[in-house]
Amino acid sequence: MATKLLSIIIPVYNEKTNIEPSAAKLLNEFSEFKNSLEILFVDDNSPDGTADEVIRVSKYLNQVRLIQHGKKECIGAAHRAGYEAAIGQYILCIDAD
């Protein structure tokens, strides 16, 4: 995978309804980096379908990626998984809401 300029890591747990609005807002705010950024939603094993929503959104927003670590481990583990998966020169972590 080619390096990006910016990776935005968003740990999520039961955030299904925030996935699409968060991605759209970030792409709008960082529009000058549209082709050189990635948005990593790190799902902490949400039971509400958050992972499926990330997959759905990633089908039409190619900057969006789903990262999963398979079990509920809380925000620290989600940050770590995001950092390990990020390919950006710069990394930013934010909340989904």
Side-chain angles (χ1 to χ4, degrees):
M1 196 172 282
T3 300
K4 300 284 186 178
L5 180 62
L6 178 62
S7 294
I8 302 172
I9 298 169
I10 308 173
V12 290
Y13 183 77
N14 287 343
E15 295 283 354
K16 181 179 179 178
T17 60
N18 287 324
I19 300 302
E20 189 170 18
S22 294
K25 177 89 171 165
L26 286 167
L27 288 171
N28 184 52
E29 293 298 323
F30 290 95
S31 61
E32 64 272 21
F33 302 109
K34 180 180 170 181
N35 296 318
S36 61
L37 72 80
E38 64 175 350
I39 302 169
L40 305 174
F41 287 99
V42 184
D43 182 46
D44 205 21
N45 204 29
S46 301
D48 75 337
T50 296
D52 291 335
E53 180 65 2
V54 174
I55 292 167
R56 184 188 74 78
V57 170
S58 72
K59 289 181 181 176
Y60 67 89
L61 296 176
N62 63 1
Q63 298 91 341
V64 171
R65 289 176 49 206
L66 172 65
I67 307 299
Q68 292 180 294
H69 46 91
K71 57 185 174 181
K72 184 163 177 18
E73 293 184 321
C74 299
I75 198 164
H79 280 143
R80 185 180 66 247
Y83 279 109
E84 290 172 358
I87 60 171
Q89 183 178 354
Y90 300 98
I91 298 173
L92 171 71
C93 291
I94 64 168
D95 292 333
D97 56 358

